[in-house]
Amino acid sequence: MRRFVVLRRGRSRGGRVAESFGRLLRSLRHAAQLTIEELSHTSGVSVRAIGDMERGASRGPQRRTVEALAEALRLDDARRVALSEAARAGRPRQEAPAPGACELPRGVGDFTGRTRELRALRELAARAGDEQAAVVAAVSGAAGIGKTALAVRAAGQLDDLFPDGRFYLDLRGMDPIPLDPGTALSRLLKALGVAERRIPADEEDRAGRYRALLRERRCLIILDNAAHEGQVRSLLPSAGPVMTLVTSRRPLAGLEGVHQLPLAHLAAEEAAALLGAIVGPERAAADPDGVAQVASLCGNLPLALRIAGNRLQSRPGWTAGQLAARLGDEGRRVESLSAGDLSVAAAFALSYRQLSLPARQSFRRLALAAAPEFGAPMTAVLAELGRAEAEDALEELVDLGLLQSPYVGRYRFHDLVRLFARARLSEEEPVQAQRQARRRMDDWLLEVATIAGRWFEPDYGAPPQDWSSLVELNSSQQAQEWLQTEGEAWLAALRQAFRVGEHARVVEVAEAMHWFSDLWMHWGHWPEVFDLSSRAARAMGDRAQEAAHLNYLSWAQTYCQARFDEAEATALRALELAREIGDVRQQGWSLIYATWSLWARDDQPSKESGLRYTRQAAECFQQAGDTEGYAQAMSSMGNCLRRLGRVEESVRHNLALVERLRDPAFGGSPAIVNQAVGATLDLVGDGYSALGRWQEAADHYRQALWEMSERPISRAVATTLTSLGKALVQLEQVEQAREAFREAMELYEASGDAVRAARVLELLEQVARSAAVTRPQNAG
């Protein structure tokens, strides 16, 4: 019988034995009347793998593969044994590994977290040998993030899956001269049992011998601290039941067919748990707040946590809170995180030395950025690079783990890395160069902020044709996106301009934000912006500008902070200034801003004061010839009438105002007049709602939305949509009401107004509950 040919164990491990296994598998498949495709489907072994076995290209498949084939072929015990013996005979004789070569380093007993990553590595390890290509995983991340610790921990947990050995090699990727691939191959071959005299002299031949050995061995190979793809590529097996785990500060994105596993910083809970495990449960329990504070100051970076824990262990008299107090000094925090030969600064320095000169300069000067995130344009300004060069430098910094990229085009420091960058800047660049870089950045931010803000001013719009910068502001949408994305940055530049006495510039920037602020009402910083500008105007002795910016501040206090008493006082102070200088127009605006601050109050005196203010404002605007201000005053007057309970009078007043505003003879800026028409139609809707005339209310809310579409202000549109939804509910137009509420909620969420978004969500849920109650009744 054929199977006796296979069992002749004394034969050489070459073609004859392997062919016997292939012939035996083929004959058993034919006997079972199965095609290769059918056997593949039943066994789970790939068509290619079965074909390689039958041709003799695969000389001795692994035990799990043989068992799967035997099960699919439904072999009896004798034939099952014969197939197993044939496979075992076809496997090459494994040489004994060299003792002590490429041994795993000692793991840490207090390893904490990384559950998801360890699970992913086990899943990959379980697939080793089942795929056509060998399994390779690349673990990447910043200095000190725990790549090596994770790899060694995984090796300990995967012992059962790799009976032929687990091997470790440090590729010394951060050294001035990393380990070359030829030397690495030589060390790995020795570890796999190849005598030195039998190791090929040629690097390519070494790589071939290495791949051939691993094609039949179930091994785990850890290649730690890789410098780049070129160092690793020849060390990766092509096939076989082997798994290779590569760690690197770079992502090694150029490697083909590799499972990427980027490491993030530990979560706050994991960081505190790791620190607690290092110092011991009793000591951690004695000061849990201190442990959490130390973990936070370490930026949840495993290396920093281990150093902090080691320092506490070596100083039994210290509490975690006392160490936290020492780490609170930003100027010395990075230097303080050192213990013996462990040092956060040294770990970062290894990456820093790998950088090109443009990337180094960018890294240092980005420490000047006041905002937590930045992009290529700001980097280009700081480092005096072109935009493309700045993008290359940023990506280089990300590759080496010195920057994080939360999403495309935006970058940020880890807290400790930022402090390291600040130290490099201080040591490597003169103070004058630092000041010049900061000044360039601030000037650029304020210039772009002014140009972007003016997109929303009726008298400006698009940038001048001869204006150019590192950003595109070709549309109001681009301008809005830049102002919001770089909000913290240009606000920091504005603060700096005020500190150094550039008062005219502060006023100019804030003036450019006057209309835009309506679109981003819930930013949270408008009170500060307009407080700075009003103080800057006062410092210049410009009482007209001071009055105008006090009015802007009153608006911010009313709509951004709900500080209504303070807002009224601010507007009345502006009114006093305007009267002193005889500025009738600004007096009108002061009275309007004061009126708005009163609308949150429900008492009769406030309502009457509001009506009185608006009438006075209308007179001021008429005297000044300001039709736009007059429209605002008359619209506000109608609202005051409704609040006083004079609803029908309010509706008549507002309808007459709409007709007047729509008359071409009225004049004024079309954009501002349209806005006034929309606001007044919204008030007409409110009046009809108060009278219970729901269809007329809904009609006027829809007209208001159409007028607002010319220059939509999210909050105003959302408010009108909410009112429309309420009217539609009363009209039992449930689906249309839901749509209005959904649109309103989306607008509130987009503008950051979570409170009003929650209120609209509650209205949506009420409509859903009412519909659920009504449906069964209708069905009956």
Side-chain angles (χ1 to χ4, degrees), residues 92-153:
R93 181 176 61 84
Q94 294 188 9
E95 299 174 82
C102 294
E103 280 288 311
L104 289 173
R106 183 174 70 89
V108 291
D110 48 30
F111 186 94
T112 303
R114 304 299 189 199
T115 305
R116 182 185 63 83
E117 290 84 357
L118 288 168
R119 186 190 310 117
L121 289 173
R122 174 162 281 277
E123 290 171 357
L124 287 172
R127 289 156 55 181
D130 293 343
E131 300 183 352
Q132 294 178 5
V135 173
V136 181
V139 177
S140 58
I145 207 164
K147 301 178 293 294
T148 302
L150 173 66
V152 174
R153 183 72 167 188

Side-chain angles (χ1 to χ4, degrees), residues 180 239 311 539 613:
D180 67 89
R311 290 195 72 184
Y613 285 161

Side-chain angles (χ1 to χ4, degrees), residues 157-172:
Q157 293 185 355
L158 299 176
D159 182 39
D160 59 314
L161 296 179
F162 298 105
D164 295 333
R166 295 162 299 153
F167 303 95
Y168 171 91
L169 183 62
D170 184 357
L171 297 179
R172 310 189 71 83

